[in-house]
Amino acid sequence: MEVSVFTLLMDGREDRVESLTVPHGEAIFGWVRKPHGWCRDDACIPAFRAAEVETPEGVDLAGFAGLLGRIAVVDPVERLIAVGEAQRLGPDEAPDFTLDGFSLREARGSKIALVFWASWCGCRYDLAAWDELHEELSPSGLTVVSVSLDRDPEDARPWIEGLEHPSLIDAEGSVAELYNVVNVPTVVWIDEEGRIARPQDTMTATDTFREMNGLSSEDAKNALRRWVLDEESGLTPEVVREHLRIPTEEERRARLHARLAAWLFRHGRTAPAQGHAREAAELAPHDVAVRRSLMPLSGADPFGDEYFRLRDELEARGVAIYRPLPDWSGGGAAAEVRA
């Protein structure tokens, strides 16, 4: 008889697990049970902590994820489980990641401008300008790294062909999860030591949509140049801590529901996919990146009526769509720009 397994979505991979209760003696996420606890390389979870997720039948998979600081969302009907990243966002060390052959840790020694964008955003037209900034400032120690939030990599590819800077596609949303990116464009600056010098900031590289967002690309680019050339980030460490947006548990769960929705949409299971998309929207209604990124997979136009309904909804709630930091954008813009 065929065993109905679960599909596990974790760390950008798709694996199979036979049950949400793992039999004793089997490894879990690369962790192995030893007499004193669960261990992976040099790290160990003491046995007394692991006892809360161990039962006579085995080890609770979702509970074990919790021991690692990760959240799991399970769809028992569709037999899916998504496990998120551990919450590691802080100013003292930018969360490491490896994507499309690029490793953030291996880029230490260079300033990084981490530019989040998507093909469903007008910021796609800024990529060439970011590439020019990369060419201009790389001799002075800057690397521009763009990260597409497109759920379908093929939507992003035409926009990154021929670019010189590292151009990554975060189809599973794992890097956006690590950096709590709730809309695009969002830019994060990371210094040579791997510390966050500028937290999530709305920055543009062209004035294509200035009438809509109210932002000066020249002011943004000049702020970047000052950081690279004059070592002036514009923000003290205290201000970085103040403005760094740490994800809530609801935001983290919303991203996992979105991940399940994306997988279900890709596999033609529209009704349950829409259910998870609604759950994501209820948990994090302000997360434009999560909500808009699912529109193409559901057959909706991310530049059409559904997007404008989303904008109207957020405007009615007083939720800012664009969130520039005040040091370069004219002070009040960070609080007052709504659309």
Side-chain angles (χ1 to χ4, degrees), residues 1-336:
M1 183 175 66
E2 181 180 351
V3 177
S4 182
V5 300
F6 278 79
T7 298
L8 170 66
L9 306 178
M10 179 177 174
D11 296 337
R13 301 192 310 272
E14 182 177 318
D15 296 312
R16 300 287 184 269
V17 292
E18 292 188 3
S19 170
L20 297 181
T21 300
V22 180
H24 292 296
E26 294 188 8
I28 305 178
F29 309 147
W31 293 73
V32 178
R33 186 65 160 96
K34 297 184 177 181
H36 57 284
W38 286 85
C39 298
R40 181 176 182 177
D41 299 326
D42 295 331
C44 287
I45 300 170
F48 74 88
R49 285 193 58 213
E52 62 189 73
V53 300
E54 295 176 326
T55 69
E57 293 76 28
V59 183
D60 178 71
L61 193 67
F64 191 85
L67 293 180
L68 304 178
R70 308 176 79 156
I71 291 176
V73 170
V74 178
D75 185 329
V77 176
E78 298 298 321
R79 302 192 72 79
L80 286 171
I81 175 171
V83 176
E85 302 286 343
Q87 205 308 97
R88 298 184 278 120
L89 184 59
D92 297 327
E93 186 172 3
D96 187 33
F97 65 87
T98 298
L99 183 65
D100 293 345
F102 173 86
S103 168
L104 184 65
R105 184 172 297 278
E106 292 178 2
R108 288 276 178 92
S110 172
K111 288 183 170 70
I112 302 290
L114 202 57
V115 179
F116 293 89
W117 70 283
S119 70
W120 40 259
C121 167
C123 54
R124 63 190 182 182
Y125 296 110
D126 283 11
L127 284 175
W130 286 114
D131 206 48
E132 291 172 1
L133 279 168
H134 173 79
E135 182 178 4
E136 172 193 339
L137 296 173
S138 59
S140 301
L142 175 73
T143 300
V144 172
V145 179
S146 62
V147 183
S148 164
L149 303 193
D150 284 281
R151 299 285 180 178
D152 184 347
E154 296 309 312
D155 290 339
R157 295 197 202 284
W159 299 95
I160 63 178
E161 289 180 357
L163 298 181
E164 295 297 323
H165 70 267
S167 305
L168 319 178
I169 302 175
D170 185 24
E172 300 305 318
S174 57
V175 181
E177 179 183 354
L178 285 173
Y179 285 87
N180 194 27
V181 175
V182 299
N183 198 6
V184 288
T186 290
V187 181
V188 177
W189 295 358
I190 302 168
D191 71 15
E192 298 93 332
E193 302 301 320
R195 298 181 295 256
I196 292 179
R198 177 172 294 271
Q200 308 97 328
D201 196 358
T202 303
M203 283 186 152
T204 59
T206 73
D207 286 336
T208 306
F209 295 96
R210 187 170 181 175
E211 288 187 4
M212 180 180 294
N213 57 45
L215 301 175
S216 165
S217 65
E218 205 55 42
D219 288 348
K221 290 187 288 189
N222 285 337
L224 181 64
R225 292 184 179 104
R226 286 193 297 272
W227 179 50
V228 175
L229 301 176
D230 302 327
E231 300 291 339
E232 295 180 7
S233 71
L235 303 175
T236 65
E238 292 73 25
V239 173
V240 171
R241 289 181 181 277
E242 176 187 350
H243 286 282
L244 185 65
R245 297 195 304 269
I246 304 298
T248 65
E249 181 169 333
E250 288 77 14
E251 288 174 313
R252 295 171 71 192
R253 290 191 178 278
R255 293 182 189 279
L256 295 182
H257 280 287
R259 192 167 298 165
L260 293 178
W263 190 94
L264 289 163
F265 275 129
R266 292 173 188 140
H267 289 78
R269 288 141 78 171
T270 302
Q274 291 173 335
H276 284 289
R278 287 192 296 269
E279 185 69 23
E282 290 174 7
L283 286 167
H286 61 283
D287 196 326
V288 178
V290 159
R291 299 177 66 179
R292 198 175 180 189
S293 69
L294 293 173
M295 289 181 188
L297 296 181
S298 69
D301 182 356
F303 294 96
D305 291 343
E306 190 164 340
Y307 170 60
F308 286 102
R309 281 194 293 269
L310 172 58
R311 284 167 55 96
D312 291 344
E313 172 200 325
L314 296 182
E315 185 173 319
R317 294 186 180 198
V319 176
I321 292 179
Y322 303 113
R323 303 172 183 226
L325 296 182
D327 64 302
W328 66 271
S329 61
E336 295 174 0

